[in-house]
PDB file of all heavy atoms in Angstrom:
ATOM      1  N   ARG A 374      86.793 127.300  89.630  1.00  0.00           N
ATOM      2  CA  ARG A 374      88.105 127.857  89.289  1.00  0.00           C
ATOM      3  C   ARG A 374      89.026 126.751  88.765  1.00  0.00           C
ATOM      4  O   ARG A 374      88.622 126.014  87.878  1.00  0.00           O
ATOM      5  CB  ARG A 374      88.686 128.604  90.481  1.00  0.00           C
ATOM      6  CG  ARG A 374      87.843 129.867  90.775  1.00  0.00           C
ATOM      7  CD  ARG A 374      88.253 130.568  92.018  1.00  0.00           C
ATOM      8  NE  ARG A 374      89.481 131.315  91.847  1.00  0.00           N
ATOM      9  CZ  ARG A 374      90.479 131.302  92.730  1.00  0.00           C
ATOM     10  NH1 ARG A 374      90.402 130.553  93.800  1.00  0.00           N
ATOM     11  NH2 ARG A 374      91.538 132.028  92.533  1.00  0.00           N
ATOM     12  N   TYR A 375      90.220 126.590  89.328  1.00  0.00           N
ATOM     13  CA  TYR A 375      91.153 125.629  88.721  1.00  0.00           C
ATOM     14  C   TYR A 375      91.070 124.223  89.314  1.00  0.00           C
ATOM     15  O   TYR A 375      91.865 123.358  88.981  1.00  0.00           O
ATOM     16  CB  TYR A 375      92.580 126.153  88.837  1.00  0.00           C
ATOM     17  CG  TYR A 375      92.988 126.528  90.235  1.00  0.00           C
ATOM     18  CD1 TYR A 375      93.460 125.565  91.119  1.00  0.00           C
ATOM     19  CD2 TYR A 375      92.885 127.837  90.687  1.00  0.00           C
ATOM     20  CE1 TYR A 375      93.816 125.891  92.408  1.00  0.00           C
ATOM     21  CE2 TYR A 375      93.234 128.180  91.981  1.00  0.00           C
ATOM     22  CZ  TYR A 375      93.704 127.215  92.831  1.00  0.00           C
ATOM     23  OH  TYR A 375      94.053 127.531  94.110  1.00  0.00           O
ATOM     24  N   ALA A 376      90.053 123.987  90.180  1.00  0.00           N
ATOM     25  CA  ALA A 376      89.997 122.686  90.881  1.00  0.00           C
ATOM     26  C   ALA A 376      89.906 121.499  89.913  1.00  0.00           C
ATOM     27  O   ALA A 376      90.586 120.493  90.080  1.00  0.00           O
ATOM     28  CB  ALA A 376      88.826 122.670  91.855  1.00  0.00           C
ATOM     29  N   LEU A 377      89.057 121.633  88.885  1.00  0.00           N
ATOM     30  CA  LEU A 377      88.882 120.541  87.936  1.00  0.00           C
ATOM     31  C   LEU A 377      90.179 120.280  87.162  1.00  0.00           C
ATOM     32  O   LEU A 377      90.581 119.143  86.944  1.00  0.00           O
ATOM     33  CB  LEU A 377      87.744 120.874  86.963  1.00  0.00           C
ATOM     34  CG  LEU A 377      87.455 119.825  85.899  1.00  0.00           C
ATOM     35  CD1 LEU A 377      87.000 118.525  86.523  1.00  0.00           C
ATOM     36  CD2 LEU A 377      86.400 120.315  84.919  1.00  0.00           C
ATOM     37  N   LEU A 378      90.824 121.383  86.772  1.00  0.00           N
ATOM     38  CA  LEU A 378      92.074 121.267  86.014  1.00  0.00           C
ATOM     39  C   LEU A 378      93.130 120.514  86.830  1.00  0.00           C
ATOM     40  O   LEU A 378      93.802 119.608  86.322  1.00  0.00           O
ATOM     41  CB  LEU A 378      92.557 122.673  85.668  1.00  0.00           C
ATOM     42  CG  LEU A 378      93.623 122.784  84.577  1.00  0.00           C
ATOM     43  CD1 LEU A 378      93.108 122.170  83.287  1.00  0.00           C
ATOM     44  CD2 LEU A 378      93.991 124.240  84.353  1.00  0.00           C
ATOM     45  N   VAL A 379      93.248 120.877  88.104  1.00  0.00           N
ATOM     46  CA  VAL A 379      94.201 120.185  88.984  1.00  0.00           C
ATOM     47  C   VAL A 379      93.850 118.704  89.072  1.00  0.00           C
ATOM     48  O   VAL A 379      94.713 117.834  88.948  1.00  0.00           O
ATOM     49  CB  VAL A 379      94.206 120.818  90.392  1.00  0.00           C
ATOM     50  CG1 VAL A 379      94.968 119.936  91.382  1.00  0.00           C
ATOM     51  CG2 VAL A 379      94.820 122.202  90.354  1.00  0.00           C
ATOM     52  N   GLY A 380      92.557 118.411  89.260  1.00  0.00           N
ATOM     53  CA  GLY A 380      92.115 117.025  89.379  1.00  0.00           C
ATOM     54  C   GLY A 380      92.480 116.206  88.155  1.00  0.00           C
ATOM     55  O   GLY A 380      93.014 115.104  88.262  1.00  0.00           O
ATOM     56  N   ILE A 381      92.208 116.777  86.976  1.00  0.00           N
ATOM     57  CA  ILE A 381      92.460 116.031  85.734  1.00  0.00           C
ATOM     58  C   ILE A 381      93.955 115.890  85.473  1.00  0.00           C
ATOM     59  O   ILE A 381      94.435 114.802  85.119  1.00  0.00           O
ATOM     60  CB  ILE A 381      91.752 116.728  84.546  1.00  0.00           C
ATOM     61  CG1 ILE A 381      90.240 116.544  84.696  1.00  0.00           C
ATOM     62  CG2 ILE A 381      92.230 116.161  83.224  1.00  0.00           C
ATOM     63  CD1 ILE A 381      89.436 117.264  83.664  1.00  0.00           C
ATOM     64  N   LEU A 382      94.705 116.970  85.694  1.00  0.00           N
ATOM     65  CA  LEU A 382      96.165 116.886  85.482  1.00  0.00           C
ATOM     66  C   LEU A 382      96.780 115.864  86.431  1.00  0.00           C
ATOM     67  O   LEU A 382      97.642 115.061  86.021  1.00  0.00           O
ATOM     68  CB  LEU A 382      96.809 118.258  85.687  1.00  0.00           C
ATOM     69  CG  LEU A 382      96.585 119.265  84.561  1.00  0.00           C
ATOM     70  CD1 LEU A 382      97.194 120.612  84.920  1.00  0.00           C
ATOM     71  CD2 LEU A 382      97.187 118.764  83.249  1.00  0.00           C
ATOM     72  N   ALA A 383      96.320 115.861  87.686  1.00  0.00           N
ATOM     73  CA  ALA A 383      96.853 114.888  88.652  1.00  0.00           C
ATOM     74  C   ALA A 383      96.493 113.463  88.222  1.00  0.00           C
ATOM     75  O   ALA A 383      97.296 112.536  88.389  1.00  0.00           O
ATOM     76  CB  ALA A 383      96.322 115.167  90.053  1.00  0.00           C
ATOM     77  N   ASP A 384      95.302 113.285  87.636  1.00  0.00           N
ATOM     78  CA  ASP A 384      94.914 111.966  87.120  1.00  0.00           C
ATOM     79  C   ASP A 384      95.842 111.529  85.996  1.00  0.00           C
ATOM     80  O   ASP A 384      96.253 110.369  85.925  1.00  0.00           O
ATOM     81  CB  ASP A 384      93.465 111.995  86.611  1.00  0.00           C
ATOM     82  CG  ASP A 384      92.467 111.964  87.758  1.00  0.00           C
ATOM     83  OD1 ASP A 384      92.887 111.642  88.876  1.00  0.00           O
ATOM     84  OD2 ASP A 384      91.289 112.243  87.508  1.00  0.00           O
ATOM     85  N   ILE A 385      96.139 112.474  85.092  1.00  0.00           N
ATOM     86  CA  ILE A 385      97.021 112.144  83.959  1.00  0.00           C
ATOM     87  C   ILE A 385      98.410 111.778  84.470  1.00  0.00           C
ATOM     88  O   ILE A 385      99.013 110.779  84.047  1.00  0.00           O
ATOM     89  CB  ILE A 385      97.085 113.324  82.963  1.00  0.00           C
ATOM     90  CG1 ILE A 385      95.715 113.527  82.302  1.00  0.00           C
ATOM     91  CG2 ILE A 385      98.156 113.070  81.905  1.00  0.00           C
ATOM     92  CD1 ILE A 385      95.605 114.760  81.450  1.00  0.00           C
TER      93      ILE A 385
END
Side-chain angles (χ1 to χ4, degrees):
Chain A
R374 293 174 75 225
Y375 53 84
L377 179 63
L378 196 58
V379 168
I381 290 176
L382 285 177
D384 283 346
I385 294 172

